[in-house]
Amino acid sequence: MYMCSKCGLTGCSKRDLEKTLPDCPSKNEELVAKAKAVYENDEEIRKIANAAACTEHGGYCVDTRLVEIIKFAKHCGYKKLGLAFCGGFMNEARTVVDILEYNGFEVASVMCKNGAMPKATIGVTDEHTMRGDASTEVMCNPVGQAMALNEQNVDFCIVLGLCVGHDTLFLKHIEKPATILAVKDRVTAHNPMAAIYCAKSYYKKKFYPEGGIQID
């Protein structure tokens, strides 16, 4: 099993495979060859990888995530962008679209509640709704968001604030390349790394409760 998170040697980053764990993906020659072949033979993948490297170099520790997305999209030659956003991020979505349009992009945006389908559609019961009525409470529809942006024939998609699982379904069904601008984390003002940095202190009891984290 690959265990890069427990390595610490990171010889791969220095092309020194002697400083890696015995079961290191960099030592799997067949795997490395397959990945290299993709970069060499798939023009779209090569373009994206090249643009990502150029974007990293140009704005390292200077550009914000949104500025990086804009520069990356321009490197790739994308013209029409798609924005899949949570309804709780309506104000943020308007600002993001305004910035993207100012910088020369056409933007199609689709909110999570598109389709106006009740939560009962996916088998949610009243006790698992926010307002107690699965027949009227509208579900998030990430599959619909993806389908709508596919129908709009966007070049590239940006995900803003979708919930855990909803982002999974969106990324599964979107047909074009996509990136994440921000994720949903209501407790930390949508900065999930804040809790990770406090995992051994303030958040220790939340991450390491007796018996482990249980579902509600």
Side-chain angles (χ1 to χ4, degrees):
M1 181 184 295
Y2 301 132
M3 303 284 285
C4 290
S5 63
K6 297 184 179 181
C7 175
L9 301 172
T10 63
C12 57
S13 64
K14 306 174 185 67
R15 294 181 60 83
D16 184 0
L17 298 189
E18 292 185 2
K19 295 181 179 179
T20 60
L21 296 177
D23 191 10
C24 171
S26 298
K27 293 176 179 176
N28 185 332
E29 295 182 1
E30 182 180 359
L31 180 67
V32 173
K34 286 182 178 179
K36 184 179 180 182
V38 172
Y39 294 118
E40 291 177 340
N41 300 320
D42 190 314
E43 184 176 347
E44 179 69 10
I45 296 297
R46 187 180 181 87
K47 179 183 76 173
I48 291 173
N50 185 286
C54 291
T55 300
E56 178 191 23
H57 172 264
Y60 196 79
C61 291
V62 175
D63 291 341
T64 66
R65 177 74 175 194
L66 184 54
V67 171
E68 286 187 327
I69 290 173
I70 290 169
K71 290 184 177 181
F72 170 80
K74 289 187 173 184
H75 272 296
C76 288
Y78 298 141
K79 304 296 183 182
K80 186 174 183 180
L81 308 183
L83 180 69
F85 70 97
C86 166
F89 284 68
M90 179 64 78
N91 290 334
E92 293 87 342
R94 287 172 176 160
T95 299
V96 169
V97 170
D98 181 65
I99 292 169
L100 294 174
E101 289 178 340
Y102 176 83
N103 283 279
F105 298 101
E106 182 181 2
V107 186
S109 57
V110 183
M111 195 179 81
C112 60
K113 300 298 185 181
N114 75 96
M117 293 184 285
K119 290 186 176 179
T121 303
I122 52 174
V124 173
T125 58
D126 291 349
E127 65 190 56
H128 289 115
T129 62
M130 302 302 293
R131 300 176 183 84
D133 188 353
S135 66
T136 61
E137 188 168 311
V138 176
M139 62 177 267
C140 292
N141 180 19
V143 174
Q145 285 178 292
M147 288 181 172
L149 292 176
N150 289 337
E151 185 268 338
Q152 291 287 296
N153 196 31
V154 299
D155 300 318
F156 181 63
C157 290
I158 300 169
V159 179
L160 175 59
L162 297 190
C163 296
V164 172
H166 296 154
D167 52 4
T168 304
L169 291 174
F170 176 82
L171 294 171
K172 181 178 177 64
H173 287 87
I174 194 66
E175 296 174 354
K176 294 299 177 70
T179 192
I180 310 298
L181 172 56
V183 298
K184 175 71 65 60
D185 191 333
R186 299 174 183 87
V187 174
T188 64
H190 314 300
N191 177 18
M193 293 306 298
I196 303 302
Y197 296 137
C198 297
K200 301 296 184 178
S201 55
Y202 297 113
Y203 275 80
K204 185 174 183 179
K205 290 184 179 179
K206 289 183 178 292
F207 288 131
Y208 301 98
E210 185 176 353
I213 296 172
Q214 306 295 318
I215 63 173
D216 296 325

